[in-house]
Amino acid sequence: MREWEHYEHTADIGIRGYGETLEEAFEAVALALFDVMVDVRKVEPKEVRELEIEAEDLEALLYLFLEELLVLHEMDGLVFGDFKVKIEKTEDGYRLRARAYGEPLNYEKHEPKEEVKAITYHDMRIEKLSDGRWMVQLVPDL
């Protein structure tokens, strides 16, 4: 089961995602990212974007995944409210394949909040918790 939250971090907002699997935790933190920007509960899955990313470690994979979503938001004017992620180990690191479901930003419908300027490695953590769930977190640049 995916869960996400925002957490206090000095002058910024941290985002954190939880999941039974690493993939669910990546999906949840992506939801947390977009919920910083808009009310994700109001985003309908009218469009889908497919992503494929390769990186040498999980931290770089997370960074590149969220950065690609932010680029789609900025370039195509899309907001996303659901994600399906698959992660596999490769010879050189990891490969992520994802589908992002959303629609064009509508100011009245989606109630924009904060602008996320960039993804960062600040306070980034990817870990398996003692209860077996995965937790992923970072502080984006607002």
Side-chain angles (χ1 to χ4, degrees):
M1 183 171 107
R2 297 184 310 201
E3 296 177 54
W4 55 267
E5 64 186 359
H6 300 149
Y7 64 94
E8 299 276 330
H9 187 276
T10 57
D12 293 314
I13 297 171
I15 57 175
R16 187 177 289 142
Y18 300 94
E20 297 296 323
T21 65
L22 180 60
E23 288 92 343
E24 284 185 357
F26 269 57
E27 293 166 2
V29 81
L31 281 168
L33 173 68
F34 275 86
D35 199 65
V36 168
M37 297 185 272
V38 298
D39 184 347
V40 293
R41 294 170 300 192
K42 296 182 178 181
V43 177
E44 295 179 61
K46 294 181 177 177
E47 294 189 27
V48 63
R49 293 292 190 273
E50 294 190 7
L51 298 84
E52 184 170 330
I53 298 160
E54 294 191 28
E56 60 187 38
D57 59 39
L58 288 174
E59 289 78 11
L61 195 70
L62 176 62
Y63 178 93
L64 293 170
F65 171 54
L66 296 178
E67 183 179 63
E68 185 68 24
L69 292 173
L70 197 55
V71 167
L72 288 171
H73 168 68
E74 291 171 1
M75 300 300 284
D76 296 345
L78 297 172
V79 290
F80 299 103
D82 196 17
F83 304 90
K84 297 296 177 220
V85 171
K86 291 287 179 206
I87 298 172
E88 60 186 337
K89 185 90 171 93
T90 66
E91 284 184 20
D92 300 323
Y94 294 90
R95 178 181 301 117
L96 176 146
R97 289 188 176 100
R99 288 186 174 181
Y101 300 90
E103 64 183 331
L105 174 63
N106 176 313
Y107 286 89
E108 287 183 27
K109 177 180 180 181
H110 299 123
E111 302 173 12
K113 305 175 198 173
E114 297 283 340
E115 179 184 345
V116 176
K117 296 176 191 158
I119 303 305
T120 73
Y121 283 94
H122 187 70
D123 203 27
M124 185 181 283
R125 289 176 35 208
I126 299 172
E127 61 186 59
K128 193 160 190 176
L129 303 173
S130 61
D131 65 5
R133 294 183 309 150
W134 285 87
M135 187 274 300
V136 175
Q137 73 175 34
L138 64 113
V139 177
D141 184 19
L142 302 183

